[in-house]
Amino acid sequence: MTMGDPVTVKILDGTAFVTIDNPPVNALGHAVRVGLLAALDRLEAAPVVQEIVLLAEGRTFPAGAEIKEFGKKPEDPWLPEIFDWIEQCPKPVIALLHGTVLGGGLELAMAAHYRLADPETKLGLPEVALGILPGAGGTQRAPRLMGADAALDLMLSGAPIGVAEASRKGIIDGVVRGNLPSAGAAFAKSLRDRGAGPRPTRDVTQGFTDAAAYQTAVNARRAAMAGAPQDNIARIIDCVEAAPLLPFEAGMAFERDAFDELVASDQSKALRHAFFAERRAAKVPELATGRARAIHRVAVIGGGLMGAGIAVAHLDAGLEVKLLERDAASLQSALARIAQIYDRAAARGTLSREDRAARLGRVSGTLHYTDLADADLAIEAVVEDLAVKAQVFGRLDAVLMPGAIIASNTSYLDLDVLAAETQRPGDVIGLHFFSPAHVMTLLEVVVGRETGADAVATGFALAKRLGKTAVRAGVTDGFIGNRMLAAYRLAADYTVELGASPFEVDAAMRGYGFAMGPYQVLDMAGLDISWARRKRLAPTRAEGAHYVALGDRLCAAGRFGRKTGRGYYQYPEGSKTGQPDPEVLQMIAAEREAKGISPRSFAPAIIRRRCLAAMANEGMKLLDEGIALRPSDIDTVMIHGHGFPRHAGGPMMAADLTGLPRLHKDLRDLSSEDDALWSPHPMLGELIKNGWKFDRLNEA
């Protein structure tokens, strides 16, 4: 075989080594499949070859199938055909595993007769996250090796397991250290010396030895997952149940039918979209020219809930943090808040005492800006007030060393105004964490008018180090996430004003897949936060603009949500679970009467259509204004920042799946309520005219 082939063969002392080399993760794409089948056919016919060893170059054994091929007509040879060949090969086939052996990679390994692994190997079947199931024999082979309980754990969680656990559960035959090819050669020779031949997984029955326990595990998982939002969960359980009941070939056909059904579903399309959207978000123009600066020491200004969470996020990533507060009492409280976060983690068993001590050992406090002079990055997390933040920026600019990045965690305010307070606007960036900052996975990297490419590159590199999903956003009130959230809440408010209750709106959106409805979220965050924003924006509101004042009325009555025991819901005795409050319904009725509105009822599906249409329309505005680079970035922000159901793909993907003509009709029908919110953006008509969807813009 020639240089550059994705599959190569080397024969040593009667053992053939078949090496996959398809960077970066050795995905089992078409070229690899062709190469594998050609190599295996040749080796089966070669008298000199007595054993076949499968291994991979680079950092990992195949980490899965080629996801981009899902949903397309499969090209021969396909994975089940190759795995069937391997399993039925008359010569022993040994898989040498290292790296992250996931999805189709683990299915390949399970089709082999023996499996050896490097001790650092991780193994998993993560297809559940893509709305599908292991479709190349995983649902049939894993139960034979592991039993129903362990196999379902692996497939339904999607989480990888280590070699020690894999060995206990029967996937791995041996752990090898050092040179993998040498270990493979030694194992092959030991098989030859012992006269041990092939061991087809289809003939393995160790996972079926206790039929009653097997079925009990299936029934328990089916009961536990009843009502799960993803259709593939039930189909995975069905396939595992079928494994001991059907002959192997029939079980494989059952699995294939389920896979084909799922891969064509809207849920799987949405989940695959979300997967690629997260990776696409990391591709921003500034990375072509910008170079990330090294970050070792971080200053956090403000130690409230957000500031403490930001500090913890950086401490978790191994960085040094210096926390600045305005007085000794506030600083003591801030440091105690950080310690409490780690105390809770230690109590849960997710953090060792040693790690807790190490992280707390990297944080210190100060009351003086001059103590921040050696920081590589300073992040302000003070009160959401432009004048206060501007003062902080000016003081940071005066003390930080040249090349240090100054960042704001503002949720709404104008980054360019803050940058103008400094002599280094090219080093100013927005790092908008979502609360709680050490838990939420989204980080909006906000790029100002004069932000330099190096600063943007630094923001994205930092996000990766913190384990965050970064999305680039331009400067506008609320950036991407909070602009979209504002449109969502406005649509909900209009729906309530016209006749729905807040509780019906919340139930409708939970039914769609949100963990909480918009009014539950408002109560949790505090109604006074959005009230302050409305008051700030009041001078810019157009005269005669449609305005729903219910939230203002609640705040004026001291109803700020959970923290006051009353908001849209009531929270008896500090309960976190809200109960519908008749007093709120009376306030809503009074608002309707004052505006002469006769209430009408709304079905849950109509509530959802109204909210989703408003979000998609706002998304088009963000794209048109250049605030978001692509529709999939908006989807990523909404999934990771505001709990949009992943299995629906985000508001822009949801519109694609529903159909843009229907979105246009919904917006046109609703525009009489409020032209500013509902009038279809011109982009929509252009897309429909060209027969495109939003996804077409992701390719640009």
Side-chain angles (χ1 to χ4, degrees), residues 173-316:
D173 296 299
V175 180
V176 293
R177 291 170 172 79
N179 186 284
L180 276 180
S182 296
F187 188 82
K189 185 177 184 303
S190 73
L191 292 178
R192 194 184 309 170
D193 292 345
R194 291 186 284 117
R199 187 186 59 180
T201 306
R202 67 177 61 200
D203 297 337
V204 173
T205 59
Q206 64 193 42
F208 299 161
T209 51
D210 188 336
Y214 190 101
Q215 190 61 48
T216 297
V218 168
N219 294 342
R221 201 57 58 93
R222 183 171 282 132
M225 304 303 283
Q230 289 182 215
D231 297 336
N232 61 329
I233 288 174
R235 301 299 281 137
I236 289 170
I237 297 171
D238 290 344
C239 289
V240 171
E241 181 177 41
L245 304 177
L246 298 176
F248 183 79
E249 294 298 344
M252 289 291 291
F254 188 85
E255 176 192 87
R256 175 49 49 176
D257 287 345
F259 180 88
D260 289 343
E261 168 196 317
L262 291 169
V263 81
S265 69
D266 282 354
Q267 274 197 4
S268 181
K269 291 174 185 175
L271 287 162
R272 298 197 309 267
H273 166 80
F275 176 87
F276 286 114
E278 290 159 1
R279 284 144 187 81
R280 193 183 296 121
K283 299 175 181 178
V284 301
E286 290 85 359
L287 298 189
T289 57
R291 183 175 180 180
R293 300 172 189 171
I295 302 293
H296 303 290
R297 295 172 296 276
V298 177
V300 177
I301 296 82
L305 290 175
M306 180 58 79
I310 292 172
V312 168
H314 288 83
L315 293 168
D316 288 348

Side-chain angles (χ1 to χ4, degrees), residues 325-581:
E325 261 293 359
R326 62 185 182 274
D327 56 55
S330 298
L331 180 59
Q332 185 177 3
S333 295
L335 293 172
R337 196 170 288 118
I338 293 170
Q340 287 168 2
I341 291 172
Y342 284 131
D343 288 344
R344 288 194 293 269
R348 291 193 303 269
T350 58
L351 186 71
S352 69
R353 287 184 297 176
E354 293 77 13
D355 283 343
R356 175 190 176 279
R359 294 177 194 191
L360 289 175
R362 290 196 301 273
V363 63
S364 60
T366 183
L367 304 177
H368 308 292
Y369 277 86
T370 52
D371 290 338
L372 309 180
D374 64 346
D376 304 303
L377 165 69
I379 307 173
E380 69 75 17
V382 300
V383 64
E384 192 77 347
D385 181 281
L386 189 61
V388 175
K389 288 181 184 290
Q391 183 183 45
V392 169
F393 262 62
R395 299 187 70 176
L396 287 171
D397 185 47
V399 301
L400 291 177
M401 61 185 175
I405 303 289
I406 306 179
S408 174
N409 181 56
T410 179
S411 302
Y412 292 99
L413 302 178
D414 192 329
L415 186 71
D416 291 326
V417 172
L418 298 176
E421 295 293 320
T422 77
Q423 300 300 309
R424 57 176 98 190
D427 293 335
V428 171
I429 198 167
L431 294 177
H432 179 213
F433 291 82
F434 285 65
S435 184
H438 59 296
V439 174
M440 295 292 283
T441 56
L442 180 68
L443 180 63
E444 282 184 310
V445 178
V446 184
V447 181
R449 186 170 49 245
E450 297 186 59
T451 301
D454 284 4
V456 177
T458 303
F460 273 82
L462 177 68
K464 184 175 182 180
R465 183 167 181 179
L466 299 182
K468 305 290 187 187
T469 297
V471 176
R472 184 194 189 279
V475 175
T476 185
D477 192 274
F479 314 122
I480 296 174
N482 286 332
R483 272 266 305 257
M484 293 291 290
L485 184 64
Y488 173 32
R489 287 175 175 170
L490 196 55
D493 282 348
Y494 288 174
T495 307
V496 167
E497 186 178 63
L498 290 172
S501 75
F503 322 124
E504 289 171 334
V505 171
D506 282 349
M509 300 316 292
R510 289 197 307 271
Y512 183 68
F514 282 87
M516 302 173 71
Y519 298 105
Q520 291 173 297
V521 173
L522 280 166
D523 272 5
M524 180 179 66
L527 273 64
D528 50 325
I529 296 174
S530 52
W531 189 33
R533 177 174 181 265
R534 291 194 298 274
K535 288 189 288 187
R536 176 172 57 82
L537 295 177
T540 66
R541 192 180 305 131
E543 186 176 350
H546 189 165
Y547 186 72
V548 180
L550 177 62
D552 298 352
R553 302 280 187 269
L554 291 171
C555 289
R559 303 180 67 111
F560 295 142
R562 282 187 192 175
K563 58 190 174 187
T564 59
R566 297 186 309 160
Y568 283 93
Y569 294 79
Q570 54 183 329
Y571 301 87
E573 299 179 3
S575 169
K576 292 183 178 181
T577 303
Q579 299 175 2
D581 191 341

Side-chain angles (χ1 to χ4, degrees), residues 28-113:
L28 296 166
H30 182 250
V32 173
R33 299 197 301 274
V34 169
L36 268 177
L37 193 58
L40 294 169
D41 276 339
R42 181 161 67 89
L43 295 173
E44 182 179 356
V48 69
V49 174
Q50 298 187 57
E51 304 90 18
I52 299 171
V53 175
L54 302 176
L55 67 161
E57 287 287 355
R59 66 177 191 245
T60 185
F61 194 78
E66 181 53 75
I67 297 174
K68 292 180 181 178
E69 296 180 3
F70 290 173
K72 299 178 181 178
K73 185 177 180 180
E75 292 185 80
D76 289 334
W78 59 331
L79 289 179
E81 176 186 350
I82 295 170
F83 297 170
D84 183 67
W85 187 102
I86 290 170
E87 191 171 54
Q88 298 193 66
C89 180
K91 302 174 180 181
V93 180
I94 305 153
L96 292 181
L97 313 181
H98 76 289
T100 50
V101 184
L102 306 175
L106 181 53
E107 290 180 293
L108 168 61
M110 290 191 293
H113 304 137

